[in-house]
Amino acid sequence: MQDYALLAAFIPTFFFVSVTPGMCMTLAMTLGMSIGVRRTLWMMLGELVGVALVALAAVLGVATVMLKHPMIFQGLKYLGGAYLIWLGINMWRAKGKMANLDQPRSIKRTALISQGFVTAIANPKGWAFMISLLPPFINLQQPMAPQLTALIGIIMCTELICMLAYANGGKSLRLFLSRGNNVRLLNRIAGSLMLGVGVWLALG
């Protein structure tokens, strides 16, 4: 039987943490600005899978393995950060037209999924948050499996809602700037955000 009091307390707690600007939310806004909300959904898919795995691993104690093998963790961070930085530089170099990132076939779906997945699992703050936040909302007197299912379901729904909000915000900014023919400014804003997320991911 679920402990509904704990679940009710977890929903607003995680929502306020999730809606706070971070790597995944900034990435959603940047991609929403540059490639549109529909294609950004592929990144969101990868991010949600990554967040679910981080949450599950944090509760089950797999995070201790990551601490024992920090080189693997660092490698993922550097690879993901380097890729985002490369995208940001390409967007900065685009001048009077939309960056190549805007072209429908310039980024494959698998690349977007991988981008979201790596950003989620290589985020040290995400690991720290899951490790510290989830245990207090688990009732050891109740079966573990249904509680984990409910908590991870809440996490994924909340993350999706917040990323959609950020992606639509990026789309609105794109439309606003495009009306004034400020495409170069749009590219540089999106590129700067992408560079920032890449550096954040690599050094955070």
Side-chain angles (χ1 to χ4, degrees), residues 165-203:
Y166 273 82
N168 277 286
K171 179 182 177 181
S172 299
L173 179 59
R174 169 192 174 138
L175 293 174
F176 174 76
L177 291 175
S178 295
R179 285 172 187 163
N181 296 320
N182 291 318
V183 178
R184 186 173 185 178
L185 177 60
L186 173 62
N187 284 335
R188 292 193 169 183
I189 291 175
S192 298
L193 289 171
M194 195 74 78
L195 283 167
V197 174
V199 173
W200 190 355
L201 180 60
L203 302 180

mmCIF file of all heavy atoms in Angstrom, residues 165-203:
data_model
loop_
_atom_site.group_PDB
_atom_site.id
_atom_site.type_symbol
_atom_site.label_atom_id
_atom_site.label_comp_id
_atom_site.label_asym_id
_atom_site.label_seq_id
_atom_site.Cartn_x
_atom_site.Cartn_y
_atom_site.Cartn_z
ATOM 1 N N ALA A 165 7.737 23.666 -20.800
ATOM 2 C CA ALA A 165 7.576 25.097 -20.518
ATOM 3 C C ALA A 165 8.808 25.878 -20.965
ATOM 4 O O ALA A 165 8.702 26.939 -21.595
ATOM 5 C CB ALA A 165 7.322 25.308 -19.023
ATOM 6 N N TYR A 166 9.994 25.351 -20.670
ATOM 7 C CA TYR A 166 11.228 26.026 -21.072
ATOM 8 C C TYR A 166 11.393 26.020 -22.587
ATOM 9 O O TYR A 166 11.817 27.023 -23.187
ATOM 10 C CB TYR A 166 12.436 25.349 -20.414
ATOM 11 C CG TYR A 166 12.763 25.885 -19.045
ATOM 12 C CD1 TYR A 166 12.079 25.442 -17.919
ATOM 13 C CD2 TYR A 166 13.747 26.847 -18.861
ATOM 14 C CE1 TYR A 166 12.372 25.923 -16.650
ATOM 15 C CE2 TYR A 166 14.052 27.344 -17.600
ATOM 16 C CZ TYR A 166 13.358 26.879 -16.502
ATOM 17 O OH TYR A 166 13.637 27.370 -15.248
ATOM 18 N N ALA A 167 11.084 24.886 -23.239
ATOM 19 C CA ALA A 167 11.222 24.803 -24.697
ATOM 20 C C ALA A 167 10.278 25.772 -25.394
ATOM 21 O O ALA A 167 10.650 26.423 -26.380
ATOM 22 C CB ALA A 167 10.959 23.372 -25.166
ATOM 23 N N ASN A 168 9.060 25.892 -24.899
ATOM 24 C CA ASN A 168 8.109 26.833 -25.490
ATOM 25 C C ASN A 168 8.544 28.272 -25.247
ATOM 26 O O ASN A 168 8.299 29.151 -26.073
ATOM 27 C CB ASN A 168 6.709 26.590 -24.923
ATOM 28 C CG ASN A 168 5.982 25.474 -25.641
ATOM 29 O OD1 ASN A 168 5.515 25.631 -26.768
ATOM 30 N ND2 ASN A 168 5.892 24.308 -24.996
ATOM 31 N N GLY A 169 9.198 28.513 -24.112
ATOM 32 C CA GLY A 169 9.743 29.845 -23.861
ATOM 33 C C GLY A 169 10.831 30.192 -24.868
ATOM 34 O O GLY A 169 10.905 31.316 -25.370
ATOM 35 N N GLY A 170 11.672 29.197 -25.196
ATOM 36 C CA GLY A 170 12.697 29.418 -26.210
ATOM 37 C C GLY A 170 12.093 29.656 -27.581
ATOM 38 O O GLY A 170 12.565 30.511 -28.342
ATOM 39 N N LYS A 171 11.030 28.929 -27.893
ATOM 40 C CA LYS A 171 10.355 29.117 -29.186
ATOM 41 C C LYS A 171 9.769 30.520 -29.287
ATOM 42 O O LYS A 171 9.856 31.177 -30.324
ATOM 43 C CB LYS A 171 9.256 28.070 -29.348
ATOM 44 C CG LYS A 171 8.481 28.196 -30.647
ATOM 45 C CD LYS A 171 7.375 27.155 -30.719
ATOM 46 C CE LYS A 171 6.550 27.323 -32.002
ATOM 47 N NZ LYS A 171 5.446 26.338 -32.074
ATOM 48 N N SER A 172 9.175 30.991 -28.200
ATOM 49 C CA SER A 172 8.592 32.338 -28.195
ATOM 50 C C SER A 172 9.670 33.390 -28.387
ATOM 51 O O SER A 172 9.474 34.377 -29.112
ATOM 52 C CB SER A 172 7.852 32.575 -26.872
ATOM 53 O OG SER A 172 6.797 31.649 -26.714
ATOM 54 N N LEU A 173 10.830 33.190 -27.749
ATOM 55 C CA LEU A 173 11.943 34.135 -27.908
ATOM 56 C C LEU A 173 12.432 34.133 -29.348
ATOM 57 O O LEU A 173 12.722 35.185 -29.915
ATOM 58 C CB LEU A 173 13.091 33.750 -26.965
ATOM 59 C CG LEU A 173 14.343 34.640 -27.021
ATOM 60 C CD1 LEU A 173 13.985 36.082 -26.683
ATOM 61 C CD2 LEU A 173 15.410 34.118 -26.055
ATOM 62 N N ARG A 174 12.467 32.969 -29.945
ATOM 63 C CA ARG A 174 12.887 32.867 -31.342
ATOM 64 C C ARG A 174 11.946 33.654 -32.253
ATOM 65 O O ARG A 174 12.373 34.407 -33.123
ATOM 66 C CB ARG A 174 12.912 31.405 -31.762
ATOM 67 C CG ARG A 174 13.089 31.208 -33.254
ATOM 68 C CD ARG A 174 12.815 29.766 -33.639
ATOM 69 N NE ARG A 174 12.863 29.638 -35.091
ATOM 70 C CZ ARG A 174 13.421 28.651 -35.735
ATOM 71 N NH1 ARG A 174 14.001 27.693 -35.064
ATOM 72 N NH2 ARG A 174 13.402 28.590 -37.039
ATOM 73 N N LEU A 175 10.637 33.483 -32.062
ATOM 74 C CA LEU A 175 9.662 34.191 -32.891
ATOM 75 C C LEU A 175 9.780 35.698 -32.703
ATOM 76 O O LEU A 175 9.697 36.471 -33.657
ATOM 77 C CB LEU A 175 8.250 33.714 -32.553
ATOM 78 C CG LEU A 175 7.919 32.259 -32.921
ATOM 79 C CD1 LEU A 175 6.543 31.884 -32.398
ATOM 80 C CD2 LEU A 175 7.990 32.065 -34.433
ATOM 81 N N PHE A 176 9.989 36.113 -31.461
ATOM 82 C CA PHE A 176 10.097 37.540 -31.161
ATOM 83 C C PHE A 176 11.302 38.160 -31.865
ATOM 84 O O PHE A 176 11.206 39.220 -32.486
ATOM 85 C CB PHE A 176 10.212 37.744 -29.647
ATOM 86 C CG PHE A 176 10.471 39.168 -29.244
ATOM 87 C CD1 PHE A 176 9.455 40.113 -29.280
ATOM 88 C CD2 PHE A 176 11.733 39.573 -28.837
ATOM 89 C CE1 PHE A 176 9.687 41.431 -28.914
ATOM 90 C CE2 PHE A 176 11.980 40.877 -28.469
ATOM 91 C CZ PHE A 176 10.955 41.808 -28.504
ATOM 92 N N LEU A 177 12.447 37.474 -31.774
ATOM 93 C CA LEU A 177 13.654 38.016 -32.385
ATOM 94 C C LEU A 177 13.617 37.932 -33.904
ATOM 95 O O LEU A 177 14.131 38.813 -34.599
ATOM 96 C CB LEU A 177 14.885 37.275 -31.855
ATOM 97 C CG LEU A 177 15.223 37.518 -30.379
ATOM 98 C CD1 LEU A 177 16.371 36.641 -29.944
ATOM 99 C CD2 LEU A 177 15.552 38.983 -30.129
ATOM 100 N N SER A 178 13.013 36.879 -34.433
ATOM 101 C CA SER A 178 12.969 36.713 -35.885
ATOM 102 C C SER A 178 12.130 37.796 -36.549
ATOM 103 O O SER A 178 12.383 38.183 -37.687
ATOM 104 C CB SER A 178 12.409 35.329 -36.236
ATOM 105 O OG SER A 178 13.283 34.322 -35.780
ATOM 106 N N ARG A 179 11.123 38.295 -35.858
ATOM 107 C CA ARG A 179 10.273 39.346 -36.440
ATOM 108 C C ARG A 179 11.064 40.609 -36.701
ATOM 109 O O ARG A 179 10.753 41.382 -37.581
ATOM 110 C CB ARG A 179 9.102 39.637 -35.497
ATOM 111 C CG ARG A 179 8.034 38.553 -35.515
ATOM 112 C CD ARG A 179 7.001 38.771 -34.439
ATOM 113 N NE ARG A 179 6.070 37.656 -34.354
ATOM 114 C CZ ARG A 179 5.280 37.420 -33.320
ATOM 115 N NH1 ARG A 179 5.314 38.231 -32.273
ATOM 116 N NH2 ARG A 179 4.459 36.395 -33.328
ATOM 117 N N GLY A 180 12.098 40.825 -35.919
ATOM 118 C CA GLY A 180 12.915 42.013 -36.114
ATOM 119 C C GLY A 180 14.147 41.732 -36.948
ATOM 120 O O GLY A 180 15.058 42.545 -36.987
ATOM 121 N N ASN A 181 14.165 40.581 -37.607
ATOM 122 C CA ASN A 181 15.306 40.179 -38.439
ATOM 123 C C ASN A 181 16.606 40.111 -37.642
ATOM 124 O O ASN A 181 17.687 40.349 -38.178
ATOM 125 C CB ASN A 181 15.473 41.135 -39.636
ATOM 126 C CG ASN A 181 14.277 41.069 -40.575
ATOM 127 O OD1 ASN A 181 13.748 39.989 -40.836
ATOM 128 N ND2 ASN A 181 13.849 42.213 -41.061
ATOM 129 N N ASN A 182 16.488 39.800 -36.379
ATOM 130 C CA ASN A 182 17.676 39.697 -35.532
ATOM 131 C C ASN A 182 18.145 38.250 -35.442
ATOM 132 O O ASN A 182 18.359 37.715 -34.353
ATOM 133 C CB ASN A 182 17.385 40.245 -34.128
ATOM 134 C CG ASN A 182 17.176 41.743 -34.123
ATOM 135 O OD1 ASN A 182 17.903 42.453 -34.804
ATOM 136 N ND2 ASN A 182 16.209 42.213 -33.374
ATOM 137 N N VAL A 183 18.286 37.607 -36.602
ATOM 138 C CA VAL A 183 18.647 36.189 -36.621
ATOM 139 C C VAL A 183 20.041 35.979 -36.036
ATOM 140 O O VAL A 183 20.281 35.016 -35.314
ATOM 141 C CB VAL A 183 18.585 35.645 -38.066
ATOM 142 C CG1 VAL A 183 19.007 34.196 -38.102
ATOM 143 C CG2 VAL A 183 17.175 35.797 -38.607
ATOM 144 N N ARG A 184 20.947 36.905 -36.330
ATOM 145 C CA ARG A 184 22.307 36.765 -35.808
ATOM 146 C C ARG A 184 22.310 36.828 -34.287
ATOM 147 O O ARG A 184 23.001 36.062 -33.618
ATOM 148 C CB ARG A 184 23.180 37.873 -36.393
ATOM 149 C CG ARG A 184 24.655 37.734 -36.036
ATOM 150 C CD ARG A 184 25.481 38.771 -36.780
ATOM 151 N NE ARG A 184 26.904 38.585 -36.561
ATOM 152 C CZ ARG A 184 27.830 39.329 -37.120
ATOM 153 N NH1 ARG A 184 27.491 40.300 -37.947
ATOM 154 N NH2 ARG A 184 29.118 39.115 -36.879
ATOM 155 N N LEU A 185 21.509 37.732 -33.740
ATOM 156 C CA LEU A 185 21.400 37.840 -32.284
ATOM 157 C C LEU A 185 20.802 36.571 -31.703
ATOM 158 O O LEU A 185 21.254 36.071 -30.662
ATOM 159 C CB LEU A 185 20.545 39.052 -31.911
ATOM 160 C CG LEU A 185 20.267 39.264 -30.418
ATOM 161 C CD1 LEU A 185 21.574 39.436 -29.657
ATOM 162 C CD2 LEU A 185 19.347 40.457 -30.212
ATOM 163 N N LEU A 186 19.789 36.030 -32.391
ATOM 164 C CA LEU A 186 19.162 34.790 -31.934
ATOM 165 C C LEU A 186 20.190 33.667 -31.889
ATOM 166 O O LEU A 186 20.262 32.916 -30.911
ATOM 167 C CB LEU A 186 18.014 34.419 -32.884
ATOM 168 C CG LEU A 186 17.348 33.057 -32.656
ATOM 169 C CD1 LEU A 186 16.703 33.004 -31.284
ATOM 170 C CD2 LEU A 186 16.314 32.786 -33.732
ATOM 171 N N ASN A 187 20.999 33.548 -32.961
ATOM 172 C CA ASN A 187 22.024 32.506 -33.004
ATOM 173 C C ASN A 187 22.998 32.647 -31.841
ATOM 174 O O ASN A 187 23.416 31.665 -31.226
ATOM 175 C CB ASN A 187 22.794 32.575 -34.330
ATOM 176 C CG ASN A 187 21.985 32.012 -35.484
ATOM 177 O OD1 ASN A 187 21.106 31.186 -35.282
ATOM 178 N ND2 ASN A 187 22.281 32.467 -36.685
ATOM 179 N N ARG A 188 23.367 33.889 -31.554
ATOM 180 C CA ARG A 188 24.367 34.108 -30.515
ATOM 181 C C ARG A 188 23.799 33.874 -29.112
ATOM 182 O O ARG A 188 24.511 33.410 -28.222
ATOM 183 C CB ARG A 188 24.960 35.508 -30.651
ATOM 184 C CG ARG A 188 25.797 35.637 -31.915
ATOM 185 C CD ARG A 188 26.652 36.876 -31.955
ATOM 186 N NE ARG A 188 27.608 36.800 -33.049
ATOM 187 C CZ ARG A 188 28.524 37.702 -33.300
ATOM 188 N NH1 ARG A 188 28.615 38.786 -32.534
ATOM 189 N NH2 ARG A 188 29.364 37.551 -34.305
ATOM 190 N N ILE A 189 22.541 34.203 -28.931
ATOM 191 C CA ILE A 189 21.914 33.918 -27.635
ATOM 192 C C ILE A 189 21.852 32.414 -27.425
ATOM 193 O O ILE A 189 22.244 31.884 -26.376
ATOM 194 C CB ILE A 189 20.503 34.537 -27.556
ATOM 195 C CG1 ILE A 189 20.596 36.066 -27.495
ATOM 196 C CG2 ILE A 189 19.767 34.010 -26.322
ATOM 197 C CD1 ILE A 189 19.252 36.758 -27.541
ATOM 198 N N ALA A 190 21.334 31.695 -28.441
ATOM 199 C CA ALA A 190 21.230 30.239 -28.337
ATOM 200 C C ALA A 190 22.612 29.605 -28.215
ATOM 201 O O ALA A 190 22.821 28.681 -27.426
ATOM 202 C CB ALA A 190 20.497 29.683 -29.565
ATOM 203 N N GLY A 191 23.589 30.110 -28.999
ATOM 204 C CA GLY A 191 24.941 29.575 -28.931
ATOM 205 C C GLY A 191 25.579 29.797 -27.573
ATOM 206 O O GLY A 191 26.263 28.922 -27.039
ATOM 207 N N SER A 192 25.367 30.984 -26.997
ATOM 208 C CA SER A 192 25.918 31.284 -25.679
ATOM 209 C C SER A 192 25.326 30.367 -24.615
ATOM 210 O O SER A 192 26.038 29.876 -23.726
ATOM 211 C CB SER A 192 25.654 32.747 -25.314
ATOM 212 O OG SER A 192 26.295 33.618 -26.222
ATOM 213 N N LEU A 193 24.017 30.139 -24.708
ATOM 214 C CA LEU A 193 23.379 29.229 -23.756
ATOM 215 C C LEU A 193 23.929 27.814 -23.901
ATOM 216 O O LEU A 193 24.189 27.124 -22.911
ATOM 217 C CB LEU A 193 21.863 29.232 -23.969
ATOM 218 C CG LEU A 193 21.125 30.506 -23.535
ATOM 219 C CD1 LEU A 193 19.685 30.466 -24.003
ATOM 220 C CD2 LEU A 193 21.187 30.667 -22.022
ATOM 221 N N MET A 194 24.115 27.378 -25.159
ATOM 222 C CA MET A 194 24.646 26.046 -25.407
ATOM 223 C C MET A 194 26.070 25.931 -24.869
ATOM 224 O O MET A 194 26.439 24.932 -24.251
ATOM 225 C CB MET A 194 24.614 25.747 -26.909
ATOM 226 C CG MET A 194 24.811 24.278 -27.241
ATOM 227 S SD MET A 194 23.364 23.263 -26.868
ATOM 228 C CE MET A 194 22.314 23.661 -28.266
ATOM 229 N N LEU A 195 26.888 26.964 -25.111
ATOM 230 C CA LEU A 195 28.250 26.974 -24.570
ATOM 231 C C LEU A 195 28.232 26.927 -23.047
ATOM 232 O O LEU A 195 29.026 26.209 -22.427
ATOM 233 C CB LEU A 195 28.978 28.236 -25.042
ATOM 234 C CG LEU A 195 29.501 28.241 -26.485
ATOM 235 C CD1 LEU A 195 29.911 29.651 -26.890
ATOM 236 C CD2 LEU A 195 30.681 27.296 -26.624
ATOM 237 N N GLY A 196 27.329 27.688 -22.458
ATOM 238 C CA GLY A 196 27.239 27.720 -21.004
ATOM 239 C C GLY A 196 26.881 26.369 -20.419
ATOM 240 O O GLY A 196 27.458 25.927 -19.432
ATOM 241 N N VAL A 197 25.916 25.686 -21.054
ATOM 242 C CA VAL A 197 25.530 24.358 -20.571
ATOM 243 C C VAL A 197 26.678 23.380 -20.733
ATOM 244 O O VAL A 197 26.932 22.540 -19.864
ATOM 245 C CB VAL A 197 24.277 23.844 -21.333
ATOM 246 C CG1 VAL A 197 23.955 22.418 -20.945
ATOM 247 C CG2 VAL A 197 23.078 24.742 -21.043
ATOM 248 N N GLY A 198 27.417 23.490 -21.872
ATOM 249 C CA GLY A 198 28.554 22.599 -22.096
ATOM 250 C C GLY A 198 29.641 22.772 -21.048
ATOM 251 O O GLY A 198 30.151 21.788 -20.505
ATOM 252 N N VAL A 199 29.994 24.024 -20.759
ATOM 253 C CA VAL A 199 31.004 24.287 -19.735
ATOM 254 C C VAL A 199 30.501 23.849 -18.362
ATOM 255 O O VAL A 199 31.251 23.259 -17.562
ATOM 256 C CB VAL A 199 31.363 25.790 -19.732
ATOM 257 C CG1 VAL A 199 32.286 26.119 -18.559
ATOM 258 C CG2 VAL A 199 32.009 26.186 -21.048
ATOM 259 N N TRP A 200 29.238 24.115 -18.079
ATOM 260 C CA TRP A 200 28.615 23.721 -16.818
ATOM 261 C C TRP A 200 28.699 22.218 -16.642
ATOM 262 O O TRP A 200 29.032 21.703 -15.561
ATOM 263 C CB TRP A 200 27.175 24.202 -16.840
ATOM 264 C CG TRP A 200 26.439 24.104 -15.545
ATOM 265 C CD1 TRP A 200 26.856 23.562 -14.365
ATOM 266 C CD2 TRP A 200 25.107 24.572 -15.307
ATOM 267 N NE1 TRP A 200 25.890 23.664 -13.409
ATOM 268 C CE2 TRP A 200 24.801 24.275 -13.964
ATOM 269 C CE3 TRP A 200 24.141 25.206 -16.095
ATOM 270 C CZ2 TRP A 200 23.560 24.586 -13.406
ATOM 271 C CZ3 TRP A 200 22.924 25.519 -15.534
ATOM 272 C CH2 TRP A 200 22.635 25.220 -14.207
ATOM 273 N N LEU A 201 28.386 21.489 -17.710
ATOM 274 C CA LEU A 201 28.392 20.028 -17.657
ATOM 275 C C LEU A 201 29.807 19.493 -17.438
ATOM 276 O O LEU A 201 30.032 18.582 -16.634
ATOM 277 C CB LEU A 201 27.814 19.455 -18.950
ATOM 278 C CG LEU A 201 27.740 17.924 -19.059
ATOM 279 C CD1 LEU A 201 26.882 17.348 -17.954
ATOM 280 C CD2 LEU A 201 27.188 17.537 -20.415
ATOM 281 N N ALA A 202 30.779 20.079 -18.137
ATOM 282 C CA ALA A 202 32.153 19.576 -18.057
ATOM 283 C C ALA A 202 32.834 19.908 -16.729
ATOM 284 O O ALA A 202 33.622 19.118 -16.212
ATOM 285 C CB ALA A 202 32.973 20.139 -19.223
ATOM 286 N N LEU A 203 32.530 21.079 -16.182
ATOM 287 C CA LEU A 203 33.231 21.541 -14.995
ATOM 288 C C LEU A 203 32.404 21.462 -13.719
ATOM 289 O O LEU A 203 32.949 21.667 -12.629
ATOM 290 C CB LEU A 203 33.697 22.994 -15.200
ATOM 291 C CG LEU A 203 34.604 23.249 -16.404
ATOM 292 C CD1 LEU A 203 34.990 24.718 -16.477
ATOM 293 C CD2 LEU A 203 35.851 22.372 -16.337
#
